[in-house]
Amino acid sequence: MARQSHSGPVAVAIGRRPEPVHDVAVYAFAGMTPFELGVVVEVFGLARPELTGLLAAPWYGLKVCADRPGTELDAVGGFSLTARHGLDELAAADTVVIPGVPIALGGAGAPPGRPAGGVSPGLVAALRTAHERGARIVSICSGAFALAAAGLLDGHEATTHWRYAELLQQRYPSVRVNPDVLYVDNGSVLTSAGSAAGIDLCLHLVRRDHGAKVANSVARRFVVPPHRDGGQAQFIEAAIRPVEEEDDGVARSMQWALDHLSSPLTVSVLARAARMSDRSYLRHFTARNGTSPMRWVVTQRIAASLPLLESPDGSVEEIAVAVGFESAATFRHHFGRVMRTSPTAYRRSFGRGVA
């Protein structure tokens, strides 16, 4: 490797081999949505002259791989692409990225020649081979189903798009599915939430490999923050659930609570609304809802605060009181636990007309 000396001559490092390029392989298939593929190409496949002088190791090499290289693959949006590389090259890469794969929500409708999950046997075998030789395996969105089909998530925490989290847990009970986070890093196996969370995970990989300064530079060119606060819980539709109209005390108390969220609510208050003793109410409420009355109340208060935070009217302190929290500090504490972000950060992301 040659370096230009300030005093004039070129100094040559003797006996030092250049570091090998870190190969990234991304999977492409017929029927894919192009966003996740585009994210991987943008992060790992783009020439980056702006990083000159910042990199201690070479930038990535990228290969787009498919089950049958050279075959035209129709993508969502009315266009097609052709991958030059096959699954052998995917299995030999240093990092393997699987974007959102097709999943049969009802257990049927998978593409021909694929199991119910929509993952080809060839891809499953390639993932296992890559993992066994020490490659880093990454999924974006529903790509977690491919990793789970290969057994790479067994006994580990993982995430996927919040819409598919319950299905992933049902199909692969040995996986600890966390539907709230943007991504999970288990070292050699990493999973991200829905599509845009793939950006967060790819930047995380750059940060791991090249440091925060390089990752920040890539994020700046991407015009995204280098790190986002919170998890995908903040993006889940969280409207207050209407209580089923059942003629029982617990249901009546829940409806009454929704109509009086700003009032002081305790187990005793709710039990009186249900015409039950405190002890009986606790037992029946937990059996019906799978959670305690006060935890349910907190969740409903958080849900009620979201449209208020999305409006430019009212401070966080005023909203806390409006939905029944004793103080803004209590509101922030519970909001952070449920939403994995702060009320202020949520308002900044989703507020209409809020600077």
Side-chain angles (χ1 to χ4, degrees), residues 126-333:
L127 286 172
R128 288 171 176 163
T129 298
H131 185 254
E132 287 168 2
R133 40 169 294 276
R136 184 167 60 188
I137 314 295
V138 179
S139 69
I140 299 174
C141 195
S142 60
F145 284 78
L147 274 58
L152 305 187
L153 301 181
D154 289 352
H156 296 291
E157 183 181 352
T159 193
T160 185
H161 193 291
W162 58 265
R163 289 185 60 200
Y164 307 136
E166 185 176 353
L167 180 63
L168 181 64
Q169 189 67 82
Q170 289 172 354
R171 287 191 182 171
Y172 302 99
S174 60
V175 181
R176 301 198 307 273
V177 180
N178 185 342
D180 297 331
V181 297
L182 292 175
Y183 58 82
V184 173
D185 182 347
N186 286 318
S188 62
V189 179
L190 303 92
T191 54
S192 88
S195 300
I199 300 174
D200 299 278
L201 182 50
C202 288
L203 289 174
H204 173 70
L205 294 176
V206 173
R207 192 178 301 111
R208 268 182 46 172
D209 295 343
H210 296 282
K213 192 171 184 180
V214 171
N216 292 349
S217 180
V218 174
R220 192 176 304 115
R221 182 166 174 179
F222 227 121
V223 198
V224 296
H227 176 76
R228 284 196 290 169
D229 292 330
Q232 64 175 333
Q234 60 191 302
F235 302 101
I236 300 173
E237 296 175 3
I240 298 176
R241 295 182 180 180
V243 177
E244 297 175 7
E245 294 186 3
E246 296 180 12
D247 187 21
D248 69 74
V250 170
R252 286 197 307 273
S253 73
M254 293 170 71
Q255 188 59 62
W256 185 88
L258 292 178
D259 294 335
H260 297 83
L261 282 178
S262 61
S263 303
L265 297 177
T266 64
V267 171
S268 294
V269 169
L270 295 174
R272 283 198 299 271
R275 302 189 184 99
M276 295 181 181
S277 69
D278 290 7
R279 185 174 181 178
S280 178
Y281 182 76
L282 275 170
R283 184 174 69 254
H284 283 88
F285 189 100
T286 303
R288 174 194 172 107
N289 297 293
T291 188
S292 70
M294 296 318 297
R295 185 176 287 271
W296 176 83
V297 167
V298 166
T299 301
Q300 301 311 308
R301 283 173 166 162
I302 295 298
S305 76
L306 301 184
L308 301 179
L309 290 169
E310 292 165 13
S311 165
D313 301 325
S315 65
V316 170
E317 288 74 16
E318 290 169 330
I319 291 171
V321 173
V323 298
F325 288 103
E326 294 179 356
S327 67
T330 303
F331 176 42
R332 291 188 179 98
H333 168 75

Side-chain angles (χ1 to χ4, degrees), residues 103-115:
I103 56 175
L105 296 178
R114 295 172 183 255

Side-chain angles (χ1 to χ4, degrees), residues 9-22:
V10 175
V12 180
I14 304 298
R16 184 177 175 184
R17 294 182 180 178
E19 292 192 43
V21 172
H22 184 109

